[in-house]
Amino acid sequence: MTSRPLTLMAVHAHPDDEATGTGGVLARYAAEGIRTVLVTCTDGGCGDGPGGVKPGDPGHDPAAVALMRRQELEASRDVLKISDLETLDYGDSGMMGWPSNDAPGSFWQTPVAEGAARLAELMRHYRPDVVVTYDENGFYGHPDHIQAHRITMAALEMTALAPKVYWTTMPRSGMRRFGEIMREFHPDMPEPDPAEAAAMAEIGLPDDEITTWVDTTAFSGQKFDALAAHASQGENIFFLRMGRERFGELMGTETFVRVRDTTGAAVPENDLFAGLR
């Protein structure tokens, strides 16, 4: 044992991603005295502007949006009690197929080795015991999520560290429940076409393939408030429309796939730090 604090590092693509997928664990482990490090890879400039103006529409200023989203990220950090925030500030690439994918300086256009080298430097500084990021498809195919996965896995290879490594995911049972709630809040929502429905059905994993189920019920209020801190993106954050009680019911457990481990901790597990304390 050493005096160095146990450390969780979460590598995310955009401001607000930290709250959606890992707000519960960030708040829980901070409350347990674990150092929590958030790395946000892009500036979020392809998000909605004031008044909901969309990227590419008249009046959308990516630089102004990025500044606003940085302020929201700082507010979310305060809510979740995140110890350390690091921003790589690559340009937001937008959704797959957008012209912004090809913009110079966008995260999607950044060589993996370059981004990985910067992240590896942060890993050597913080020496995380647990690293969390997305799977190889960025959970749902977003280019910046995919790139965050790529640089994280490459950075791990560049360092001599041997942390536990996790990818965020959702159980298929939870995805079905999410779909039911979406229809509850939007009864007039049309049924997706077959191709879209098939793609949605592939998001997440069968419940029995999930290695790690972390109870974050006690911190669902913080997670809700962290999402609410990203007010400029409220139109896109469906979860806020549920209200606190329904949100806590649906979002009280965060799930992961463990892809690297040197502790021998048995799975399924209910603690990202199982085997480390």
Side-chain angles (χ1 to χ4, degrees):
M1 300 291 291
T2 70
S3 60
R4 183 179 63 82
L6 283 172
T7 300
L8 166 65
M9 175 180 281
V11 183
H12 282 292
H14 311 98
D16 78 32
D17 289 333
E18 80 289 340
T20 305
T22 56
V25 292
L26 287 166
R28 170 180 162 165
Y29 290 122
E32 293 179 6
I34 288 171
R35 180 170 63 177
T36 52
V37 180
L38 170 63
V39 181
T40 302
C41 296
T42 79
D43 61 10
C46 284
D48 288 357
V53 62
K54 303 298 180 186
D57 287 350
H60 187 278
D61 180 351
V65 171
L67 176 60
M68 175 177 60
R69 297 196 72 184
R70 175 58 187 262
Q71 294 167 344
E72 292 173 342
L73 180 61
E74 294 281 2
S76 174
R77 173 202 180 171
D78 290 345
V79 169
L80 297 174
K81 311 300 183 186
I82 293 168
S83 309
D84 299 272
L85 172 63
E86 299 283 354
T87 55
L88 301 185
D89 288 326
Y90 290 110
D92 188 342
S93 309
M95 299 298 287
M96 191 66 82
W98 286 14
S100 48
N101 294 175
D102 301 320
S106 73
F107 193 33
W108 190 238
Q109 290 299 313
T110 299
V112 170
E114 175 191 318
R118 294 180 64 193
L119 183 56
E121 184 177 347
L122 293 175
M123 288 180 175
R124 293 186 188 103
H125 174 73
Y126 289 107
R127 302 188 66 81
D129 301 281
V130 172
V131 172
V132 176
T133 192
Y134 315 99
D135 64 19
E136 60 266 57
N137 191 45
F139 185 59
Y140 68 98
H142 194 296
D144 287 331
H145 291 219
I146 294 170
Q147 191 76 328
H149 163 87
R150 290 174 176 170
I151 73 162
T152 301
M153 302 313 290
L156 288 163
E157 294 304 315
M158 290 178 177
T159 69
L161 305 175
K164 298 179 78 176
V165 180
Y166 294 88
W167 296 343
T168 57
T169 191
M170 279 280 287
R172 295 268 168 85
S173 61
M175 292 300 296
R176 287 192 294 272
R177 179 65 179 139
F178 177 72
E180 292 167 1
I181 292 176
M182 284 282 285
R183 286 187 288 275
E184 177 185 331
F185 278 81
H186 300 281
D188 299 328
M189 184 173 66
E191 290 293 325
D193 63 52
E196 183 181 346
M200 287 292 293
E202 293 300 314
I203 295 178
L205 289 172
D207 291 31
D208 61 2
E209 293 183 20
I210 292 174
T211 63
T212 310
W213 305 69
V214 183
D215 181 1
T216 59
T217 305
F219 303 94
S220 60
Q222 278 176 264
K223 182 170 179 171
F224 185 94
D225 289 343
L227 280 168
H230 295 281
S232 70
Q233 309 307 304
E235 180 181 331
N236 302 316
I237 303 176
F238 165 78
F239 303 108
L240 295 175
R241 303 175 202 174
M242 300 178 186
R244 288 179 178 274
E245 184 174 348
R246 295 297 301 279
F247 180 89
E249 292 172 7
L250 184 68
M251 306 295 286
T253 300
E254 292 182 350
T255 50
F256 306 85
V257 174
R258 193 175 81 189
V259 295
R260 181 179 298 183
D261 173 63
T262 58
T263 70
V267 292
E269 60 187 0
N270 59 12
D271 179 9
L272 297 178
F273 288 85
L276 292 170
R277 55 181 179 172

